[in-house]
Amino acid sequence: MALHHEAGSASPATEDVGANVVREASRRRTFAVISHPDAGKSTLTEALALHAHVIEEAGATHGKSNRRSTVSDWMQMEQERGISISSAALQFTYRDTVFNLLDTPGHADFSEDTYRVLAAVDCAVMLVDAAKGLETQTLKLFDVCRRRGLPVITVINKWDRPGKDALELIDEVQQRTGRVPVPLNWPVGLSGDFRGTLDPRTRTYTRYRRVSAGAAVAEADVLAPGEAAALEGETWTEALETAELVAEGNGEFDAEAFLAAQATPVLFAAAALNFGVATLLDVLVDLAPPAGARLDADGAPRPVGAPFSGFVFKLQAGMDRAHRDHVAFLRVCSGVFHRGMVLTHAATGKPFATKYAHHVFGRDRETVETAFPGDVVGLVNASALRAGDSVYVGGPVVFPPIPHFSPEHFQVARAVDAGRAKQFRRGIVQLEHEGVIQVLRSETRGDQAPVLAAVGPMQFEVVADRMAREFGAQVRLEPLPYTLARRVLAPDPEVLNRIPGTEVLRRAGGEPIAVFTDKWKLGRVATHAPEVTLEPIGGTLD
Ligand code: G4P
C-alpha cells in the first residue's frame, strides 16, 4: 500500500524555498477522526482512504468480526481485542490537497494518546452514532477540543440504520457541546431509510445508489429541486422544510465561527456505505484550516515559512519486533524537513540526525525524503526524544508541552523477580517516556515500587505485557484505592499525607501530585491544609 502519495513537488535548489513551503503548507489538511468507540472511526478512515484511492477495496476490512488487518491495527494486543492502540498518520492526496489523517486509538482507555494526537492536528472530525447521539467519550472529546480551541466537523454516522431524529441530534449537539451546529447537508429519509442528502445552500439533491457493502465509492446522482420533489414527494418536502428551520435558527455556515471553535458544521453520513464520505472530503478541502503558524511556548506564532521546526506528539516502541525500534512521531510546524538533516533537540541542545525517517500507518511504512508543515514524520531510533519535545534548525524554538490527562486508576508495580530490578527500572522509565503510563514515585515507596497512574485500566495491561515481552521483567500490579489526582502548589506538599485517603507522590521532574480516594477527601484539604493550593492536571475532565 502506498502511504505517501505526494511529496512536495518543487526542488528547493531551483525554487524560492520560502514561497514553496508556504504553498505546500496551504495545501495541507492535518486532522484526526475521533469518536466514542464503535461510532465507525475505522470504517470512516478506510472510506476516506478509499475515496482518495489509497486502498482499492475497503469492504473486506469492515467490522470487527472478520477484520483481518485494517490499516490502523498492528499490535498483537489490538489484533486480539480488535481495538486500536497505536497512533500514526495516513497521507493521501485529494483535489490537489494533501491530507494527513492522524490515527487515534479506538478504545476509551487510551484517551491520553488521543489527547496527544489532538495537540498535533489543525481540525477534528467528530463521529456520532445516529442511534446513540452524544456518548460519554464524545462529550469528553468535545471538551478537549474546546480547551485546545480546535475546529470540529461533526459527522452523524450510520444514518442507514434506525436511530434518533435528525432535529433531536442537532439539538443535542447545540445543548451539550457549546458549539452551534450548522448542517451542510440534510438527510432525505429518516434514519434507517437513507435515500440521499439535501444541500441547504443550493437545494440540490444528492441521491445515493447503493453498492455492495461499501466496497466501492458510492455512486450518486445530483438532482435539481424539482426533480427531487417529483421523485421523493413528501419525504423531500419534509427534508427541505426541516433544513430551512435549522438554517433559520442557527444561521449559515460562518468560517470565522467554525475556526474559532464556536460553530461546528454537521454532515449526515453512512460510512459503511460510503454515503457522505466524498462530501466530507470536499468540506475538509474547502473549509478546514490549512497548516498555519503555530504558537510557541511564549505564545509567539512560528510562521510556516520559518526554518524547520516541529514537535514530538507521540512515541512508539516495539512496532517492528525484529528491530525493537523506537519511533518518535513528529508534527512539522515550519520549514522543510529533508531526510538526513541534523536537528537540534530543544530539551538537551544536542544534535539529532534524521537518517531514518518514515511515514508510518498501521503496519506499513515508507521512507520520507521531504516533509512540509502539517506533515507527520516518524523518526526511527529516536529514543532520546520524549512526547512534547521540540526540534528545530537554526534559532531555538520551543512549542508548548503536551498536558497530561488526569489519571483515575492507580496501581503499584513491582518486579516479580527481584533479580531483574535493573530491567524493571529501565522498562518503567521507557514506558513513562513514551507516555504509555504516568509514573509517580515517593521516597517512602521507593524506586522498586512506583505508582502507575492511568486514564483507563487497560493501560496497565499494556504495561504488564510490554514489561514482560520487551524488557524481560514480569510485573506484579497491586491496585490502590485512589480515583483522583491534583497538582499541588505549596512549599511543603507532604503536609497532605496527614489527611487519610490522601497521598503525595512526585513525577520524574519532581512535580508533586496529590492523589485522593474520593472527592470528599479532596474537599478536606481546604479545612486541613488551607495553605495548599490544588490545581487540576492539564487535561482533567472531572
Ligand atoms: P470504531 O472504529 O469507531 O470503533 O468503529 P468501527 O469502524 O469498527 O465500526 C463499529 C461498527 O459499526 C462495525 O460493525 C461497523 O461495520 C459499523 N458501522 C460503521 N459505520 C457504519 C454505517 O455507516 N452504517 C452501519 N449500518 N454500520 C456502520 P460491527 O458490528 O463491529 O461489524 P460488522 O457488522 O461490520 O461485522
Side-chain angles (χ1 to χ4, degrees):
M1 188 179 84
L3 293 174
H4 179 234
H5 272 235
E6 192 159 340
S9 45
S11 145
T14 53
E15 255 207 84
D16 174 2
V17 177
N20 187 33
V21 174
V22 172
R23 192 173 55 243
E24 289 294 337
S26 70
R27 291 173 66 209
R28 265 35 182 201
R29 301 289 181 277
T30 301
F31 72 107
V33 178
I34 51 177
S35 70
H36 189 90
D38 257 1
K41 199 155 56 64
S42 315
T43 311
L44 180 70
T45 300
E46 284 161 20
L48 288 168
L50 171 81
H51 274 74
H53 308 293
V54 174
I55 49 179
E56 306 283 353
E57 187 177 297
T61 59
H62 277 163
K64 282 161 189 159
S65 42
N66 62 349
R67 184 170 286 164
R68 289 191 306 264
S69 61
T70 68
V71 282
S72 54
D73 292 354
W74 58 267
M75 211 170 131
Q76 201 176 326
M77 257 183 74
E78 328 177 57
Q79 277 180 348
E80 283 164 11
R81 295 165 166 270
I83 56 164
S84 186
I85 295 174
S86 62
S87 296
L90 176 67
Q91 188 176 65
F92 56 88
T93 305
Y94 174 81
R95 278 181 50 195
D96 200 40
T97 298
V98 181
F99 285 93
N100 293 303
L101 167 51
L102 274 59
D103 193 22
T104 56
H107 199 281
D109 272 14
F110 298 96
S111 39
E112 218 175 349
D113 260 4
T114 302
Y115 198 92
R116 287 188 277 258
V117 169
L118 290 176
V121 297
D122 300 318
C123 173
V125 171
M126 180 75 79
L127 266 184
V128 175
D129 184 325
K132 299 192 177 137
L134 304 183
E135 301 175 80
T136 349
Q137 194 68 5
T138 327
L139 291 170
K140 283 190 178 186
L141 287 165
F142 259 117
D143 195 51
V144 173
C145 292
R146 182 182 58 76
R147 286 160 192 266
R148 297 209 67 86
L150 206 59
V152 174
I153 298 168
T154 303
V155 174
I156 297 179
N157 190 32
K158 306 194 190 181
W159 197 254
D160 60 310
R161 271 194 196 160
K164 294 191 177 189
D165 177 64
L167 270 184
E168 189 187 339
L169 287 161
I170 292 291
D171 255 2
E172 224 182 309
V173 173
Q174 179 124 25
Q175 303 304 327
R176 303 181 72 185
T177 70
R179 296 186 196 221
V180 179
V182 182
L184 298 182
N185 71 7
W186 193 260
V188 177
L190 300 175
S191 53
D193 176 29
F194 198 4
R195 304 183 194 187
T197 51
L198 156 82
D199 182 334
R201 285 160 300 184
T202 59
R203 297 176 152 218
T204 50
Y205 176 30
T206 302
R207 182 167 163 263
Y208 296 119
R209 276 189 260 144
R210 276 184 186 247
V211 287
S212 64
V217 172
E219 288 180 26
D221 305 307
V222 179
L223 307 178
E227 289 175 284
L231 194 73
E232 303 292 359
E234 272 290 290
T235 310
W236 172 258
T237 320
E238 209 170 291
L240 201 59
E241 284 174 4
T242 330
E244 275 172 4
L245 202 70
V246 178
E248 269 169 34
N250 293 3
E252 297 255 306
F253 172 78
D254 173 350
E256 247 175 65
F258 164 54
L259 297 178
Q262 290 157 359
T264 176
V266 178
L267 294 171
F268 288 82
L273 301 173
N274 290 312
F275 289 5
V277 175
T279 315
L280 173 60
L281 280 169
D282 286 332
V283 166
L284 283 162
V285 172
D286 297 331
L287 309 179
R294 289 185 78 90
L295 299 181
D296 67 16
D298 298 327
R302 171 86 168 178
V304 290
F308 173 84
S309 68
F311 68 90
V312 177
F313 64 92
K314 160 134 196 98
L315 290 161
Q316 192 82 59
M319 289 179 83
D320 185 346
R321 285 283 139 67
H323 298 98
R324 286 198 55 179
D325 56 355
H326 293 90
V327 182
F329 293 102
L330 194 78
R331 144 108 196 196
V332 180
C333 296
S334 65
V336 193
F337 172 86
H338 294 292
R339 187 171 68 85
M341 80 196 308
V342 178
L343 313 174
T344 305
H345 178 205
T348 58
K350 287 188 179 153
F352 182 87
T354 59
K355 189 169 166 205
Y356 301 103
H358 288 173
H359 278 297
V360 183
F361 196 80
R363 285 178 200 80
D364 303 286
R365 46 173 76 184
E366 255 177 27
T367 299
V368 175
E369 295 298 337
T370 314
F372 292 95
D375 290 348
V376 169
V377 176
L379 295 175
V380 184
N381 292 330
S383 48
L385 302 183
R386 311 267 178 271
D389 278 4
S390 302
V391 285
Y392 56 82
V393 166
V397 56
V398 177
F399 293 100
I402 300 176
H404 283 289
F405 239 100
S406 195
E408 292 170 15
H409 304 270
F410 303 84
Q411 299 200 352
V412 177
R414 286 194 174 83
V416 170
D417 177 356
R420 305 201 60 83
K422 218 171 90 194
Q423 289 86 341
F424 173 82
R425 271 201 307 273
R426 203 161 56 86
I428 294 288
V429 167
Q430 177 60 35
L431 298 182
E432 178 183 14
H433 286 163
E434 281 179 39
V436 172
I437 197 95
Q438 297 180 36
V439 182
L440 306 172
R441 298 175 177 84
S442 73
E443 272 183 28
T444 334
R445 289 185 179 274
D447 223 20
Q448 285 308 318
V451 173
L452 307 185
V455 175
M458 204 183 282
Q459 284 175 263
F460 296 121
E461 288 184 47
V462 176
V463 169
D465 183 66
R466 289 192 53 191
M467 285 294 286
R469 276 190 302 111
E470 283 171 44
F471 302 95
Q474 277 203 324
V475 293
R476 195 171 58 240
L477 295 167
E478 295 154 18
L480 292 169
Y482 306 122
T483 62
L484 284 169
R486 289 286 185 275
R487 292 169 58 212
V488 188
L489 303 180
D492 179 17
E494 272 72 15
V495 294
L496 296 184
N497 284 329
R498 291 204 298 260
I499 304 175
T502 303
E503 183 175 346
V504 175
L505 300 156
R506 290 184 185 261
R507 289 197 196 279
E511 185 188 25
I513 303 289
V515 291
F516 305 89
T517 48
D518 51 56
K519 61 178 188 242
W520 289 278
K521 297 292 180 325
L522 188 146
R524 293 178 73 175
V525 172
T527 42
H528 286 66
E531 73 281 14
V532 172
T533 307
L534 298 176
E535 273 198 350
I537 292 172
T540 191
L541 297 166
D542 49 51

